[in-house]
Amino acid sequence: MTVDDDPLFRDPRFVQFYDYLCGWDRRDDFDFCARLAADAGSVLDLGCGTGTLTAALARDKRVTGVDPAAAMLAVARERPGGERARWVEADARDVRLGEQFDFVLLTGHAFQVFLTEADRIAALKTIAAHLAPGGRFVFDSRNPEFRAWLDWVPDRSRERIDHDALGPVETWNGASFEPATGIVTYKTFYRFGRSAETIIAESRIAFPPKATLEAELLEAGLAVDHWYGDWLGADWTEKSREIIPVGGLA
């Protein structure tokens, strides 16, 4: 399954939920990435989504946001400050812009949509291909040891959203884990209070362990300076929620 198959990313109604459920203004990664980008004159945001961070960084930098979901980019272009950035509809595995950047990021767990070793290495090679000498990169992936999917069940994930346009909406998740592949299939349910209509978005994401990422980064020509375990700057441990490498070209 790709973003083209998931209505959360292609249907304009569901794209509106992205900022409600995953909004940068509620996340520590916004501040973390902003600090890393502070001295960068140019930024490439792979998997930029609806462009909240991308537009913010474009205030004083040359910034390009790349995402395969046209509906996401439509929101990004119209957000305040969106006119300052360049938006490109493309896949992080094979996009080549013919230019280099001081800082490349792939956050919001977008890296986990790459389900195979080949796909992950392709995305990492895209990072390497666009890094300027001395440039820095960051991406994030959930630590499989933390087993985040155990919380993606109705009793632990149910939430009510009062949406400006769609009214009251109840959301919850369901997930199943494939031990043989390390892939989680998860569903997000949306029940619209005005009509009682329920619609389901389904996605698949991988949970590669740190040792796997180390080998794939090496294959892609990238070197890690530091491994973080969360967006507050804690060092990575086996019990960390996140795997966040920061580094540059090997």
Side-chain angles (χ1 to χ4, degrees), residues 11-42:
D11 189 318
R13 290 182 303 167
F14 298 118
V15 169
Q16 298 177 68
F17 288 107
Y18 182 82
D19 287 335
Y20 274 83
L21 299 175
C22 308
W24 280 95
D25 59 343
R26 298 186 298 177
R27 287 162 34 182
D28 297 315
D29 40 353
F30 186 106
D31 293 334
F32 190 102
C33 290
R35 287 194 297 272
L36 283 178
D39 296 329
S42 56

Side-chain angles (χ1 to χ4, degrees), residues 223-243:
V224 177
D225 300 330
H226 198 93
W227 294 88
Y228 292 93
D230 62 36
W231 289 109
L232 296 175
D235 292 338
W236 185 86
T237 72
E238 292 182 356
K239 296 182 179 180
S240 295
R241 178 186 295 268
E242 305 282 349
I243 305 174

Side-chain angles (χ1 to χ4, degrees), residues 17-247:
F17 288 107
Y18 182 82
D19 287 335
Y20 274 83
L21 299 175
C22 308
W24 280 95
D25 59 343
R26 298 186 298 177
R27 287 162 34 182
D28 297 315
D29 40 353
F30 186 106
D31 293 334
F32 190 102
C33 290
R35 287 194 297 272
L36 283 178
D39 296 329
S42 56
V43 176
L44 174 60
D45 187 354
L46 294 170
C48 64
T50 58
T52 306
L53 176 63
T54 323
L57 294 176
R59 292 191 187 103
D60 59 355
K61 307 176 190 301
R62 173 174 61 88
V63 178
T64 297
V66 173
D67 202 277
M72 290 280 189
L73 293 177
V75 174
R77 291 187 180 97
E78 296 301 319
R79 74 167 51 257
E83 74 283 354
R84 297 187 294 252
R86 175 175 58 156
W87 307 101
V88 177
E89 183 180 343
D91 191 310
R93 290 170 293 185
D94 54 26
V95 63
R96 292 295 183 272
L97 300 175
E99 56 189 291
Q100 296 179 319
F101 299 82
D102 300 324
F103 183 48
V104 179
L105 63 149
L106 176 58
T107 54
H109 302 120
F111 186 75
Q112 291 182 252
V113 306
F114 305 121
L115 302 182
T116 68
E117 176 185 15
D119 285 342
R120 289 191 294 271
I121 291 174
L124 294 174
K125 286 184 175 180
T126 293
I127 292 176
H130 292 90
L131 269 182
R136 306 271 284 168
F137 74 85
V138 64
F139 69 89
D140 60 347
S141 188
R142 297 176 183 89
N143 184 2
E145 294 299 320
F146 194 81
R147 300 185 180 184
W149 60 86
L150 296 179
D151 288 327
W152 300 345
V153 294
D155 289 347
R156 297 185 180 184
S157 61
R158 198 175 300 274
E159 183 178 359
R160 175 190 165 98
I161 297 171
D162 290 317
H163 194 279
D164 295 340
L166 301 173
V169 182
E170 185 179 12
T171 74
W172 66 94
N173 299 112
S176 60
F177 176 65
E178 303 170 14
T181 62
I183 292 174
V184 170
T185 300
Y186 74 95
K187 297 179 180 180
T188 307
F189 299 81
Y190 303 88
R191 178 178 293 157
F192 300 90
R194 291 174 180 169
S195 64
E197 178 187 14
T198 300
I199 299 180
I200 304 170
E202 181 177 317
S203 302
R204 299 180 75 222
I205 56 175
F207 283 74
K210 179 172 177 283
T212 296
L213 294 178
E214 289 174 333
E216 292 170 351
L217 282 157
L218 183 63
E219 175 69 19
L222 295 170
V224 177
D225 300 330
H226 198 93
W227 294 88
Y228 292 93
D230 62 36
W231 289 109
L232 296 175
D235 292 338
W236 185 86
T237 72
E238 292 182 356
K239 296 182 179 180
S240 295
R241 178 186 295 268
E242 305 282 349
I243 305 174
I244 306 172
V246 175

